[in-house]
Amino acid sequence: MKVREDDVTVAGEIRTRVIRPVGDGAWPGLLLYTDIFQLTESTLRTARRFAASGFVVAVPEIYPHGELAGVALEFDDAGKAAGLAGAAATPTAMFDADRAAVLDHLAARDDVTSLFVTGFCIGGHLAFRAAFDPRVAATVCFYPTGLQNGALGADVADSLSRSADITGRLMVVFGSRDPHVPADARLQIVSALYAAGLDDVELHIYRGGEHAFMRDIGARHDPALTDLAINEAVSFFAGRS
């Protein structure tokens, strides 16, 4: 289906792109977290695919309060350094407060029914934390970084230790060749989830998938795995009906 896009400012500061199907009606709201490069066209192309599948997708900047506000970073060494610096300057509590604001915005919209969350890389970790909100019915984390050791922002995040706070459904997707989340880290994450009682989590490990395999720029992009991941996520959000 066709989509329309609007730029909104949430809570007076958080620049957010909202992408939704054209026409009247209501759809599930999907908070989509970017990687460290923020609102790049690459991520927005993925967001449009989700919107075209029947979601009101809200894509906020993850660094909306400092010098990176309004900046879409380049996929180069300078952009990577700036994105990592933005993460290092952001306390976990600030990430959490911004998440609550964007979910509040989605929940208040007349064209939104239920609430879902997804994200990539650091955004996968942020999506995991968003799942702590009891309003979130389902979450898909794509190659989330830092879950195993709390690496997220300016402090050590308590994300994995709070797994029991997740009440909605959870799906996690990794690439088998992701150096940021190697096999031992994946085992640590899954063990913690099971220990917290989340023994029905969907875990996908895509053979040959590298970190950021869904980013459609650069040598790591795998179009076939990207299509598989998006289709799996849409099916998961639909309840596997």
Side-chain angles (χ1 to χ4, degrees), residues 178-210:
D178 187 340
H180 299 286
V181 196
D184 59 341
R186 299 195 297 266
L187 179 60
Q188 181 181 344
I189 292 167
V190 173
S191 297
L193 293 175
Y194 272 58
L198 301 181
D199 55 4
D200 60 349
V201 62
E202 278 203 26
L203 175 67
H204 298 255
I205 301 175
Y206 290 169
R207 183 178 182 182
E210 300 184 58

Side-chain angles (χ1 to χ4, degrees), residues 8-195:
V8 303
T9 302
V10 173
E13 273 191 291
I14 306 169
R15 176 174 171 251
T16 304
R17 180 71 57 86
V18 177
I19 311 172
R20 63 182 293 274
V22 169
D24 298 328
W27 299 270
L30 177 62
L31 166 54
L32 187 150
Y33 280 115
T34 73
D35 55 20
I36 61 170
F37 300 94
Q38 299 217 97
L39 300 184
T40 63
E41 275 300 313
S42 176
T43 295
L44 292 174
R45 282 191 287 271
T46 301
R48 291 176 191 120
R49 293 186 64 177
F50 277 108
S53 295
F55 300 92
V56 177
V57 184
V59 193
E61 290 187 332
I62 60 174
Y63 310 130
H65 307 292
E67 62 183 20
L68 293 181
V71 178
L73 297 168
E74 297 293 332
F75 296 122
D76 55 20
D77 289 343
K80 179 179 178 181
L84 291 174
T90 306
T92 301
M94 184 173 289
F95 282 129
D96 289 348
D98 290 347
R99 166 247 297 165
V102 179
L103 285 176
D104 287 347
H105 170 81
L106 276 173
R109 292 178 62 102
D110 293 336
D111 57 355
V112 166
T113 55
S114 50
L115 294 179
F116 301 142
V117 184
T118 191
F120 309 86
C121 188
I122 187 177
H125 191 152
L126 292 173
F128 186 91
R129 292 190 66 83
F132 301 156
D133 190 309
R135 296 174 294 178
V136 174
T139 301
V140 177
C141 305
F142 292 109
Y143 37 85
T145 54
L147 282 180
Q148 71 273 20
N149 58 11
L152 177 65
D155 45 17
V156 178
D158 59 354
S159 307
L160 202 56
S161 67
R162 290 185 58 188
S163 297
D165 292 344
I166 298 175
T167 57
R169 294 178 296 119
L170 178 65
M171 172 175 157
V172 185
V173 177
F174 293 115
S176 67
R177 295 174 57 192
D178 187 340
H180 299 286
V181 196
D184 59 341
R186 299 195 297 266
L187 179 60
Q188 181 181 344
I189 292 167
V190 173
S191 297
L193 293 175
Y194 272 58

